[in-house]
């Protein structure tokens, strides 16, 4: 139970955070909501497609090394460094692809609305895709090391900051 509760809580916080972001975009109107949907589609396609295998790899390869002594801990560190290197390279490639995919010409496959195309946050989307693979390696490593509580704390903190930012933006926005 001590293993599964932090994982369930982490997943709940992630889903809740995405839901709140979607609700915030929808409250801003049809164009921001449509732009958000395009950005989320590109994020899921490129951000998670590149990142999720890295989390799974960390969870699959690291437990054997983490359970042993100092020699296997060194191997765990080397494995983590290899995964992180792959994540950094994959991040750069995926961020470049999402930058190209969010160009007005490419966005025409999603929408004919110039207004929606201009509202897609290309820079922010590329940044999110850039950090996703490395964050997934860290998440997989924390799960492999049975440090889910640290993962839960990090997700809770980052999601809380995002929610505060979105609420402040709503309260400060002119009506």
């Amino acid at each position: 139970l001590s293993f599964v509760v932090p994982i369930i809580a982490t997943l709940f916080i992630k889903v809740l955070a995405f839901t709140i972001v979607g609700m915030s975009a929808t409250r801003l109107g049809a164009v921001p909501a449509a732009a958000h949907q395009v950005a989320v589609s590109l994020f899921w396609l490129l951000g998670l497609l590149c990142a999720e295998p890295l989390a799974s790899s960390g969870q699959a390869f690291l437990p054997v090394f983490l359970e042993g002594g100092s020699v296997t801990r060194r191997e765990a560190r080397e494995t983590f460094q290899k995964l992180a290197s792959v994540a950094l390279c994959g991040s750069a490639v995926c961020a470049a692809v999402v930058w190209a995919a969010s160009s007005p010409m490419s966005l025409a496959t999603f929408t004919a609305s110039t207004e929606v195309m201009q509202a897609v946050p290309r820079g922010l989307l590329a940044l999110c895709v850039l950090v996703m693979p490395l964050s997934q390696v860290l998440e997989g490593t924390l799960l492999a090391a049975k440090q889910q509580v640290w993962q839960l704390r990090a997700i809770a903190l980052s999601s809380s900051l995002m929610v505060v930012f979105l609420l402040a933006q709503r309260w400060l926005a002119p009506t």
Side-chain angles (χ1 to χ4, degrees):
L1 198 57
S2 65
F3 181 79
V4 77
V5 169
I7 293 173
I8 291 171
T10 299
L11 182 59
F12 175 77
I13 290 170
K14 286 180 180 181
V15 171
L16 183 63
F18 272 99
T19 302
I20 291 170
V21 170
M23 289 169 45
S24 296
T26 303
R27 271 181 72 71
L28 295 173
V31 171
H36 172 74
Q37 182 58 49
V38 170
V40 166
S41 297
L42 288 170
F43 174 76
W44 286 124
L45 177 66
L46 294 164
L48 284 181
L49 185 64
C50 294
E52 188 56 38
L54 295 167
S56 299
S57 296
Q59 293 170 48
F61 297 131
L62 290 172
V64 173
F65 298 132
L66 292 170
E67 292 170 1
S70 61
V71 172
T72 57
R73 290 220 179 254
R74 182 174 37 82
E75 290 172 327
R77 190 174 15 262
E78 290 172 2
T79 302
F80 172 76
Q81 289 170 342
K82 288 176 185 174
L83 287 171
S85 296
V86 170
L88 288 173
C89 293
S91 292
V93 170
C94 287
V97 171
V98 84
W99 183 261
S102 61
S103 70
M105 187 174 78
S106 298
L107 288 177
T109 60
F110 288 94
T111 181
S113 169
T114 307
E115 205 175 1
V116 171
M117 288 182 213
Q118 291 173 344
V120 172
R122 289 181 78 191
L124 185 58
L125 179 59
L127 178 65
C128 289
V129 169
L130 186 67
V131 300
M132 191 63 180
L134 190 55
S135 73
Q136 288 298 101
V137 167
L138 292 172
E139 183 175 301
T141 302
L142 288 170
L143 284 173
K146 298 181 179 159
Q147 297 294 320
Q148 310 86 301
V149 173
W150 285 104
Q151 175 189 4
L152 176 58
R153 288 177 185 160
I155 292 292
L157 176 64
S158 62
S159 296
S160 297
L161 291 173
M162 179 195 66
V163 169
V164 166
F165 173 76
L166 289 172
L167 291 174
Q169 193 175 31
R170 180 186 294 173
W171 289 327
L172 298 174
T175 55

